[in-house]
Coordinates of all heavy atoms in Angstrom, one line a residue:
P1 N -16.3 -15.3 -10.7 CA -16.0 -15.7 -12.0 C -15.0 -14.6 -12.7 O -15.4 -13.9 -13.6 CB -17.3 -15.8 -12.7 CG -18.2 -14.8 -12.0 CD -17.7 -14.9 -10.6
I2 N -13.8 -14.5 -12.1 CA -12.9 -13.5 -12.7 C -11.6 -14.3 -13.2 O -11.4 -15.4 -12.8 CB -12.5 -12.5 -11.7 CG1 -11.6 -13.1 -10.5 CG2 -13.7 -11.8 -11.1 CD1 -11.0 -12.0 -9.6
Q3 N -10.9 -13.6 -14.1 CA -9.7 -14.3 -14.7 C -8.4 -13.5 -14.5 O -7.3 -14.0 -14.8 CB -9.9 -14.4 -16.2 CG -11.1 -15.3 -16.6 CD -12.5 -14.7 -16.3 OE1 -12.7 -13.5 -16.5 NE2 -13.4 -15.6 -15.9
H4 N -8.5 -12.4 -13.8 CA -7.3 -11.5 -13.7 C -7.4 -10.7 -12.4 O -8.5 -10.2 -12.1 CB -7.2 -10.6 -14.9 CG -6.0 -9.8 -15.1 ND1 -5.7 -8.6 -14.3 CD2 -4.9 -9.9 -15.9 CE1 -4.6 -8.1 -14.7 NE2 -4.0 -8.9 -15.6
I5 N -6.2 -10.5 -11.8 CA -6.2 -9.6 -10.6 C -5.0 -8.7 -10.7 O -3.8 -9.2 -11.0 CB -6.1 -10.4 -9.3 CG1 -7.4 -11.1 -9.0 CG2 -5.7 -9.5 -8.1 CD1 -7.4 -12.0 -7.8
S6 N -5.2 -7.4 -10.6 CA -4.1 -6.4 -10.5 C -4.0 -6.0 -9.1 O -4.9 -5.5 -8.5 CB -4.4 -5.2 -11.4 OG -4.4 -5.5 -12.8
A7 N -2.8 -6.3 -8.5 CA -2.6 -6.1 -7.0 C -1.6 -5.1 -6.8 O -0.4 -5.3 -7.2 CB -2.3 -7.5 -6.4
Y8 N -1.9 -4.0 -6.1 CA -1.0 -2.9 -5.9 C -0.7 -2.7 -4.4 O -1.7 -2.7 -3.6 CB -1.6 -1.6 -6.5 CG -2.0 -1.7 -8.0 CD1 -3.3 -1.9 -8.3 CD2 -1.0 -1.7 -8.9 CE1 -3.6 -2.0 -9.7 CE2 -1.3 -1.8 -10.3 CZ -2.6 -2.0 -10.6 OH -3.0 -2.1 -12.0
I9 N 0.5 -2.4 -4.1 CA 0.9 -2.0 -2.8 C 0.5 -0.5 -2.6 O 0.8 0.3 -3.5 CB 2.4 -2.1 -2.5 CG1 2.8 -3.6 -2.5 CG2 2.8 -1.5 -1.2 CD1 4.3 -3.9 -2.5
L10 N -0.3 -0.1 -1.6 CA -0.7 1.3 -1.4 C 0.6 2.1 -1.2 O 1.4 1.9 -0.3 CB -1.6 1.4 -0.2 CG -2.0 2.8 0.2 CD1 -2.8 3.5 -0.9 CD2 -2.8 2.8 1.5
K11 N 0.7 3.2 -2.0 CA 1.8 4.1 -1.9 C 1.2 5.5 -1.7 O 0.2 5.8 -2.3 CB 2.7 4.1 -3.2 CG 3.4 2.8 -3.3 CD 4.3 2.8 -4.5 CE 5.1 1.4 -4.6 NZ 5.9 1.4 -5.9
I12 N 1.8 6.3 -0.9 CA 1.4 7.6 -0.6 C 1.9 8.5 -1.8 O 3.1 8.7 -1.9 CB 1.9 8.2 0.7 CG1 1.4 7.2 1.8 CG2 1.3 9.6 1.0 CD1 -0.1 7.0 2.0
E13 N 1.0 9.1 -2.6 CA 1.4 9.9 -3.7 C 1.4 11.4 -3.3 O 0.6 11.8 -2.5 CB 0.5 9.7 -4.9 CG 0.4 8.3 -5.4 CD 1.7 7.8 -6.0 OE1 2.6 8.6 -6.3 OE2 1.7 6.5 -6.3
N14 N 2.4 12.1 -3.8 CA 2.5 13.6 -3.4 C 1.2 14.3 -3.8 O 0.5 14.1 -4.8 CB 3.6 14.2 -4.2 CG 5.0 13.7 -3.7 OD1 5.1 13.2 -2.6 ND2 6.0 13.8 -4.5
N15 N 0.8 15.2 -2.9 CA -0.3 16.1 -3.1 C -1.7 15.4 -3.2 O -2.6 16.0 -3.8 CB -0.1 17.0 -4.4 CG 1.2 17.8 -4.3 OD1 1.5 18.4 -3.3 ND2 2.0 17.8 -5.4
T16 N -1.8 14.2 -2.6 CA -3.1 13.6 -2.5 C -3.5 13.8 -1.0 O -2.7 14.1 -0.1 CB -3.0 12.1 -2.8 OG1 -2.1 11.5 -1.9 CG2 -2.5 11.9 -4.2
P17 N -4.8 13.6 -0.7 CA -5.2 13.7 0.7 C -4.5 12.8 1.7 O -4.3 13.1 2.9 CB -6.7 13.3 0.6 CG -7.1 13.8 -0.7 CD -5.9 13.5 -1.6
F18 N -4.0 11.6 1.2 CA -3.2 10.7 2.0 C -1.8 11.2 2.3 O -1.1 10.6 3.1 CB -3.1 9.3 1.3 CG -4.3 8.4 1.6 CD1 -5.4 8.9 2.3 CD2 -4.3 7.1 1.3 CE1 -6.5 8.1 2.6 CE2 -5.4 6.3 1.6 CZ -6.5 6.8 2.2
D19 N -1.4 12.3 1.6 CA 0.0 12.8 1.7 C 0.0 13.7 3.0 O 0.2 14.9 2.9 CB 0.4 13.6 0.5 CG 1.8 14.1 0.6 OD1 2.6 13.6 1.4 OD2 2.2 14.9 -0.2
C20 N -0.1 13.0 4.2 CA -0.1 13.7 5.4 C 0.4 12.8 6.5 O 0.4 11.6 6.4 CB -1.5 14.2 5.8 SG -2.7 12.8 6.1
N21 N 0.9 13.4 7.6 CA 1.6 12.6 8.6 C 0.6 11.6 9.3 O 1.0 10.5 9.7 CB 2.2 13.5 9.7 CG 3.4 14.2 9.2 OD1 4.1 13.8 8.3 ND2 3.7 15.4 9.7
E22 N -0.6 12.0 9.4 CA -1.6 11.1 10.0 C -1.7 9.8 9.3 O -1.7 8.7 10.0 CB -3.0 11.8 10.0 CG -4.1 10.9 10.7 CD -5.4 11.5 10.7 OE1 -5.6 12.7 10.1 OE2 -6.4 10.9 11.2
V23 N -1.8 9.8 8.0 CA -1.8 8.6 7.2 C -0.5 7.9 7.1 O -0.3 6.7 7.3 CB -2.4 8.8 5.8 CG1 -2.4 7.5 5.0 CG2 -3.8 9.4 5.9
K24 N 0.6 8.7 6.9 CA 1.9 8.1 6.8 C 2.3 7.3 8.0 O 3.0 6.3 8.0 CB 2.9 9.2 6.5 CG 2.9 9.8 5.1 CD 3.8 11.0 4.9 CE 3.7 11.6 3.6 NZ 4.7 12.7 3.4
N25 N 1.9 7.8 9.2 CA 2.3 7.2 10.5 C 1.5 5.9 10.7 O 1.8 5.1 11.5 CB 2.0 8.1 11.6 CG 3.0 9.3 11.7 OD1 4.1 9.2 11.1 ND2 2.6 10.4 12.3
M26 N 0.4 5.7 9.9 CA -0.4 4.5 10.0 C 0.1 3.4 9.1 O -0.3 2.2 9.2 CB -1.9 4.8 9.7 CG -2.5 5.8 10.6 SD -4.1 6.3 9.9 CE -5.1 4.8 9.8
M27 N 1.0 3.7 8.1 CA 1.4 2.7 7.1 C 2.2 1.6 7.7 O 3.1 1.9 8.6 CB 2.1 3.5 6.0 CG 1.3 4.5 5.2 SD -0.1 3.7 4.3 CE 0.9 2.9 3.0
P28 N 2.1 0.4 7.2 CA 2.9 -0.7 7.7 C 4.4 -0.5 7.3 O 4.7 0.2 6.3 CB 2.3 -1.9 7.0 CG 1.6 -1.4 5.8 CD 1.1 0.0 6.1
D29 N 5.3 -1.1 8.1 CA 6.7 -1.0 7.8 C 7.1 -1.9 6.6 O 6.2 -2.7 6.1 CB 7.6 -1.3 9.0 CG 7.3 -2.7 9.5 OD1 7.0 -3.6 8.8 OD2 7.5 -2.9 10.7
E30 N 8.3 -1.8 6.1 CA 8.7 -2.6 4.9 C 8.6 -4.1 5.1 O 8.2 -4.8 4.2 CB 10.2 -2.2 4.6 CG 10.3 -0.8 4.0 CD 11.7 -0.5 3.5 OE1 12.6 -1.4 3.6 OE2 12.0 0.6 3.1
D31 N 9.0 -4.6 6.3 CA 8.9 -6.0 6.6 C 7.5 -6.5 6.5 O 7.2 -7.6 5.9 CB 9.5 -6.4 7.9 CG 11.0 -6.2 7.9 OD1 11.6 -6.2 6.9 OD2 11.6 -6.1 9.0
T32 N 6.6 -5.8 7.1 CA 5.1 -6.2 7.1 C 4.6 -6.2 5.6 O 3.9 -7.1 5.2 CB 4.3 -5.3 7.9 OG1 4.8 -5.3 9.3 CG2 2.8 -5.7 7.9
T33 N 5.0 -5.1 4.9 CA 4.6 -5.0 3.5 C 5.1 -6.2 2.7 O 4.4 -6.8 1.9 CB 5.1 -3.7 2.9 OG1 4.5 -2.6 3.6 CG2 4.7 -3.6 1.4
A34 N 6.4 -6.5 2.9 CA 7.0 -7.7 2.2 C 6.3 -9.0 2.5 O 6.0 -9.8 1.6 CB 8.5 -7.8 2.5
D35 N 5.9 -9.2 3.8 CA 5.2 -10.4 4.2 C 3.9 -10.5 3.5 O 3.5 -11.6 3.1 CB 5.1 -10.4 5.7 CG 6.4 -10.7 6.4 OD1 7.4 -11.1 5.8 OD2 6.5 -10.4 7.7
L36 N 3.1 -9.4 3.5 CA 1.8 -9.4 2.9 C 1.9 -9.7 1.4 O 1.1 -10.4 0.8 CB 1.1 -8.1 3.1 CG 0.6 -7.8 4.6 CD1 0.2 -6.3 4.7 CD2 -0.5 -8.7 4.9
Y37 N 2.9 -9.1 0.7 CA 3.1 -9.3 -0.7 C 3.4 -10.7 -1.0 O 2.7 -11.3 -1.9 CB 4.2 -8.4 -1.2 CG 4.5 -8.5 -2.7 CD1 3.8 -7.7 -3.6 CD2 5.4 -9.4 -3.2 CE1 4.1 -7.7 -5.0 CE2 5.7 -9.4 -4.5 CZ 5.0 -8.6 -5.4 OH 5.3 -8.7 -6.8
I38 N 4.3 -11.3 -0.3 CA 4.7 -12.7 -0.6 C 3.5 -13.6 -0.3 O 3.2 -14.6 -1.0 CB 5.9 -13.1 0.2 CG1 7.1 -12.3 -0.3 CG2 6.2 -14.6 0.2 CD1 8.4 -12.4 0.6
Y39 N 2.8 -13.3 0.8 CA 1.6 -14.1 1.2 C 0.5 -14.0 0.1 O 0.0 -15.1 -0.3 CB 1.0 -13.6 2.5 CG -0.1 -14.4 3.1 CD1 -0.1 -15.7 3.3 CD2 -1.3 -13.7 3.4 CE1 -1.1 -16.4 3.9 CE2 -2.4 -14.4 4.0 CZ -2.3 -15.7 4.2 OH -3.4 -16.4 4.7

């Protein structure tokens, strides 16, 4: 029973724990991200 959804693409922000090569190398490419967003 919800009325609103805020949907965000995960972005790697500077100086966060995700700001490392291990996570960056796991991130989907632009085409995959675009497909998921449109879907």
Side-chain angles (χ1 to χ4, degrees):
I2 68 171
Q3 294 73 36
H4 187 283
I5 290 176
S6 294
Y8 305 102
I9 294 172
L10 175 61
K11 293 181 179 176
I12 305 301
E13 303 292 351
N14 292 336
N15 302 315
T16 62
F18 273 10
D19 185 15
C20 64
N21 289 334
E22 181 183 358
V23 175
K24 289 177 181 177
N25 292 336
M26 297 168 63
M27 297 295 288
D29 60 27
E30 289 185 3
D31 288 342
T32 302
T33 298
D35 290 344
L36 287 170
Y37 180 88
I38 291 169
Y39 183 55

